[in-house]
Every structure is written in C-alpha cells, then in structure tokens.
C-alpha cells in the first residue's frame, strides 16, 4: 500500500471518530449557561476549601499534642518539670514542636481555668476578644482551637487541657501564633498546591468585591473575566479578616446540570478511542522509521555492511533497499579508495628509495616505530600517523642524488637544499585531498622544541604531536643505520643522543615514552 494512501485512510478514520464524538457531546449539552456553571464550580471549591482547612487544623493539632515529641514533653512535665519551667531543655522541646507548625510561642500552666487570658510575654493577663469565625471548633475531645484578639492582633491558638492523676491537677499547654503568620506560610501553600488555585491571600472584609454574592458564611464573585474569587471568613470580630481564594474559570460549560458528566465521559471516551486507533495505525510506521534512523546512524559511523529490511509499505520498502544499496556502494568506494591510496604510497616510497638507495627501508622502519610510539602515547589516529611517517621524506625526491649520497660533510648551500624537503613534501601531498591530514606532520617533522628546527622554527606545543613522534623515530633510525658519511651507531649510543636532546630537540613527554618503549 502506498504511504500517502495509508496516511489518508488513517487520518480519515481518526477525524471521523473525533468529529462524531464532539458532535454527540455538543448536541447532548445544547444549553449553555456560563454564570450557573461558574457559580456551581465556585460553590464546590468553597466546600473543598472548608474541608482542606479543617484537615489542616486537625493535622496541626495532632502534631502539636499527639506526636511522639509532644507525648514525651507531656511526660517530662508530669515527672520532673512542673516547677522548673525555665529549664532550657524544656523550652527547647516546646519551641521545636511549635516551629514544626509555624507556631511562634507556647505557654504552660498547671491548673486554672482562665488560661486563654494569660498567653505570655507582653500580652500577659490582658482581656482577649474571642473570634467566632469559621475556624473555631473543638478538634478533638481534649484539644480546642480558637482565634483570639490581643491588642488588635489576631492570634491562632491551640489549647490542650488534660488531667494528671499523679498530682491530681489540670494541666494546660497552649501554642499560639499571629494568624496572618500561620496563614501566609505552610497553611496557604497546602491549600494552593494540587488544588488548581491561582492565589490565596488574607484581606480585610472591606476589600471584598461589591459584585460578590453571599454563600454559606462567605461570598463568591464570578464577575471577573479571568478568574473567580471565593471569600471565606476568618474572624467575626472588629477588623474582620477574610481569606480570598482566586481560581481559574471552568473550561467546561453547563456544569450545573448533570449533562456535564455526559460531555466529560464522551470526550474522554473519544480521546481514548482516537489514541488507541492512532497508536495501532502508526506503530508500524514509527518502528520502521526508527529502523531507518538506526541504519543511517550505522552508516554515518562507518558500519556500511549492516542491512535493513522493511515490509508492508511500498515507499518504506524502497527506502530500505536504497539505504542498503547506499551502504554497499560507500563500502565498495572506500575499499577501492584505500587500495589506491596504498598503491600511491608504495609508488611514492619506491620513487624515494630509487633516488636515495643508501637509506632504502628507512621510511618503513620509521613508520613501524611511529606506530608503536603512537599507541604508547594514545595518539588519536594511528593510521594517519603511520602514513605521515611513510611519507615524511617524500620531498627528497627533488634533492639531487649527489647531495643525498654525499659521503662527506654538506656545504651550507647543500644543507639549505636538504632542508627544503619538508616544504616540498608538504607541497606534493597538498595536491591530493587524500593527504589533507598528514601534510602538516610531514612539514613539521624537523621542528625542535627549542625553536631551532626548520622550516618555521616552531616551539613547544605549536608543533603537532604527530610531527614530534615522527621526529624522534626518524632520528633514532638515522643514527642506528649506516650513512654515506658515517657508520651505524649502537642502540645505546643513539639513545644517549636522544636523551641529551630532551627538552631541546625533542619533547620531554615523547622522549620519556620512547625510552619506555625502547628499554
């Protein structure tokens, strides 16, 4: 089957099912009422916030009075600290428990019924205006939570009263914090996270929008374009505080009637059906395309003989055949090119040996040494290094034979001609792209670390590493073979000269590696 026809039929099926699903859902929910939907959504959120607040307060009370630390503290009070309230360990335990629920202080009292009027610090024994807002309730049998007003400051207070049969007295433990501090830390974060609310803040009731309508003990405003707001009472004393919860507009209309359930079910069913069919139809294509990409990566990384076989879709079958053929062609061309390069190297070396019969075999010996030394120092491209070593003296083809084979010392002019063989070698090799990566190694293999070499007098790290390796192998072979002007040196004598040239003619790192290799 043609790929275009396959994709056309796939798209037709998917679009038909999707359109039918949407039409059924819209036709069923033919009545639109955004205001009712927003109001319904906000009322649900109001109830959710109430439940979240109740749960948050219960969790705080449980930690303050029923955690392992709290029970341990209560036992400590009963057993040893009744008359030692200034004990630092006692204070530390109390404050550790307080800090875990963002409480700012605590109060302990043995006996008495007016504990709520003796909070601590500068507010001791002042009259407290109790709040009667949504938060006030008995959380457990022995724990009361209240919002109180102390000198115009609203405080959230948790009180635990228990009877100690050891001393037959009532004990009170009170934890407190300014309500705004509690509300603007972990409490608001707990309400915001995971509920989809945009923002929550504590404000005065005077800031409530005039467009808000009453609901339960608070208000709901659905008149904003971008969001709805739920206002919930915090206190019902002077300077009333409310909690404003901002939430996004509902995206599904007509939520007030039960038809919304049908819309949601229809859309979800259509989505899963759409996804299921699409996955079934596209799975084969995706797998085939992955295979194609993997095969192209193999070819890009030099693995030309790997094969790929795709079936079922005409275009993909043709593509797989073409990729396989491309890999075979590239492999054949590279093999052919490698053979031609090898033949070219042999011809050039033979031409050099014919011109300088006294040093015949020198290039092969230097290449062998260079391979071993390159492997010892971890040279990146050993084949490139060996090729450069084989051709390092190719420029001597242009040097007259009487100079190459002169038995005595060369005149200055003759030595200048000899020195040109590196430049000539570079010029010869640069004529072919096959030698792009080795011509610089040939050019610089007579440079010295101290800058006294030729042709450019390079120093230190400016000399390519490959040229440094070839240089030391070239010198060693030249010293240990007979020349027209002298006999062959021993291995020890040659190594002594090389060691003497460390840091001057040769790189110290290369000399050290060469010594390890040769001793």
């Amino acid at each position: 089957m043609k790929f275009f026809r396959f994709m056309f039929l796939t798209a037709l099926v998917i679009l038909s099912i999707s359109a039918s699903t949407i039409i059924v859902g819209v036709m069923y929910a033919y009545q639109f009422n955004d205001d009712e939907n927003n109001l319904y959504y906000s009322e649900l959120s109001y109830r959710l916030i109430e439940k979240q607040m109740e749960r948050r307060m219960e969790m705080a009370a449980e930690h303050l009075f029923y955690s392992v630390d709290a029970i341990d503290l209560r036992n400590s009070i009963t057993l040893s600290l009744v008359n030692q309230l200034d004990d630092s360990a006692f204070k530390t335990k109390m404050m550790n428990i307080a800090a875990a629920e963002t409480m700012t202080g605590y109060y302990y009292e043995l006996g008495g019924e007016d504990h709520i009027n003796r909070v601590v610090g500068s507010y001791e024994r002042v009259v407290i205006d109790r709040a009667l807002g949504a938060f006030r309730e008995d959380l457990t049998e022995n724990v009361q939570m209240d919002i109180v007003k102390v000198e115009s400051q609203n405080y959230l207070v948790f009180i635990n009263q228990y009877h100690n049969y050891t001393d037959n007295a009532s004990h009170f433990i009170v934890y407190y914090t300014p309500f705004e501090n509690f509300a603007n830390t972990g409490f608001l974060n707990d309400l915001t996270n995971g509920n989809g609310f945009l923002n929550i803040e504590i404000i005065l009731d005077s800031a409530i929008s005039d467009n808000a309508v009453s609901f339960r003990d608070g208000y709901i405003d659905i008149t904003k374009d971008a969001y709805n707001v739920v206002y919930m009472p915090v206190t019902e004393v002077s300077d009333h505080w409310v909690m404003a919860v901002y939430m996004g507009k509902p995206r599904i209309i007509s939520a007030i009637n039960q038809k919304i359930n049908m819309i949601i079910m229809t859309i979800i069913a259509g989505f899963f059906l759409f996804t299921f069919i699409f996955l079934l139809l596209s799975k084969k294509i995706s797998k085939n395309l992955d295979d194609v990409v993997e095969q192209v990566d193999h070819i890009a990384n030099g693995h030309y003989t790997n094969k790929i076989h795709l079936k079922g879709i005409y275009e993909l079958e043709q593509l797989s055949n073409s990729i396989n053929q491309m890999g075979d062609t590239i492999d054949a061309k590279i093999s052919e090119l490698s053979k031609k390069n090898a033949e070219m190297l042999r011809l050039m070396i033979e031409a050099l040996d014919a011109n300088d019969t006294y040093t015949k075999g020198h290039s092969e010996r230097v290449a062998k040494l260079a391979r071993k030394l390159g492997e010892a120092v971890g040279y990146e491209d050993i084949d490139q290094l060996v090729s450069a070593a084989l051709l390092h003296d190719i420029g001597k083809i242009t040097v007259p034979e009487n100079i190459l084979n002169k038995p005595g010392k060369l005149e200055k002019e003759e030595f200048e001609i000899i020195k040109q063989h590196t430049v000539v070698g570079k010029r010869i090799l640069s004529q072919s792209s096959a030698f792009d990566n080795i011509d610089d190694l040939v050019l610089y293999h007579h440079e010295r670390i101290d800058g006294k070499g030729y042709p450019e007098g390079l120093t230190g790290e400016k000399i390519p590493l490959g040229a440094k390796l070839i240089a030391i192998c070239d010198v060693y072979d030249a010293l240990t073979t007979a020349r027209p002007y002298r006999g062959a040196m021993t291995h020890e004598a040659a190594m002594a000269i090389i060691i003497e040239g460390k840091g001057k003619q040769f790189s110290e790192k290369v000399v050290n590696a060469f010594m390890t290799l040769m001793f």
Side-chain angles (χ1 to χ4, degrees), residues 106-317:
Y106 64 87
Y107 174 66
Y108 167 76
E109 180 181 354
L110 174 62
E113 296 296 335
D114 58 345
H115 54 276
I116 193 65
N117 294 324
R118 293 199 295 275
V119 176
V120 283
S122 61
Y123 305 114
E124 185 174 0
R125 298 185 181 280
V126 301
V127 177
I128 297 175
D129 182 11
R130 288 174 177 266
L132 302 174
F135 288 95
R136 184 180 181 190
E137 63 175 316
D138 287 336
L139 299 173
T140 68
E141 182 178 354
N142 296 316
V143 178
Q144 180 185 355
M145 185 279 296
D146 230 327
I147 293 179
V148 302
K149 193 174 184 66
V150 180
E151 295 183 348
S152 76
Q153 172 71 62
N154 291 307
Y155 276 81
L156 178 65
V157 180
F158 286 91
I159 308 161
N160 180 217
Q161 175 183 2
Y162 65 96
H163 188 83
N164 181 8
Y165 293 98
T166 302
D167 53 18
N168 196 27
S170 294
H171 292 248
F172 294 92
I173 296 179
V174 180
Y175 288 100
Y176 63 91
T177 193
F179 180 77
E180 290 78 4
N181 177 64
F182 181 80
N184 287 293
T185 54
F187 175 61
L188 292 190
N189 291 333
D190 287 347
L191 285 180
T192 305
N193 293 337
N195 291 316
F197 299 142
L198 303 178
N199 189 29
I200 301 178
E201 59 184 1
I202 305 298
I203 62 174
L204 288 171
D205 62 352
S206 59
I208 296 177
S209 169
D210 294 336
N211 297 320
V213 297
S214 61
F215 177 74
R216 297 170 75 91
D217 296 326
Y219 298 89
I220 295 173
D221 182 4
I222 63 172
T223 62
K224 308 297 183 183
D225 292 334
Y227 55 85
N228 297 329
V229 188
V230 167
Y231 300 98
M232 302 190 64
V234 173
T235 65
E236 294 181 358
V237 294
S238 56
D239 295 333
H240 297 181
W241 291 91
V242 296
M243 184 166 62
V245 182
Y246 300 84
M247 61 196 72
K249 294 281 187 180
R251 291 175 292 178
I252 304 174
I253 61 171
S254 201
I256 197 168
N257 56 56
Q258 295 182 354
K259 294 178 182 179
I260 191 65
N261 295 327
M262 182 61 186
I263 294 177
I264 295 174
M265 291 174 61
T266 304
I267 292 175
I268 292 176
F271 172 79
F272 279 107
L273 186 59
F274 175 98
T275 304
F276 178 73
I277 294 175
F278 181 80
L279 289 176
L280 286 180
L281 295 175
S282 62
K283 183 177 180 181
K284 183 175 180 61
I285 296 177
S286 298
K287 178 62 169 62
N288 288 338
L289 291 178
D290 288 342
D291 291 342
V292 169
V293 171
E294 183 179 357
Q295 178 63 9
V296 171
D297 286 341
H298 283 314
I299 293 176
N301 292 319
H303 305 292
Y304 309 114
T305 58
N306 287 8
K307 303 298 180 184
I308 181 174
H309 302 284
L310 304 179
K311 301 293 182 182
I313 299 176
Y314 176 78
E315 283 82 357
L316 290 179
E317 291 181 9

Side-chain angles (χ1 to χ4, degrees), residues 440-441 443-445 447-451 456-468 507:
D440 280 344
L441 305 187
L443 176 65
Y444 297 125
H445 78 278
E447 295 287 359
R448 292 169 54 106
I449 299 300
D450 58 11
E456 297 180 9
L458 299 182
T459 60
E461 296 303 316
K462 295 179 181 179
I463 305 172
L465 176 59
K468 295 176 183 177
S507 161

Side-chain angles (χ1 to χ4, degrees), residues 65-66 69-78 160 162 173:
F65 302 116
Y66 296 111
D69 291 337
I71 293 173
D72 176 64
L73 177 62
R74 185 177 299 169
N75 292 336
S76 297
I77 293 171
T78 301
N160 180 217
Y162 65 96
I173 296 179

Side-chain angles (χ1 to χ4, degrees), residues 10-49:
T10 301
L12 182 62
V13 171
I14 292 173
L15 290 176
S16 298
I17 295 174
S18 301
S20 300
T21 302
I22 295 172
I23 291 172
V24 169
V26 172
M27 288 180 62
Y28 194 87
Y30 59 90
Q31 293 181 345
F32 298 87
N33 192 324
D34 287 334
D35 287 344
E36 288 183 348
N37 188 54
N38 277 284
L39 186 59
Y40 177 73
Y41 175 72
S42 299
E43 291 173 356
L44 289 178
S45 297
Y46 193 109
R47 294 187 179 93
L48 172 64
I49 296 166

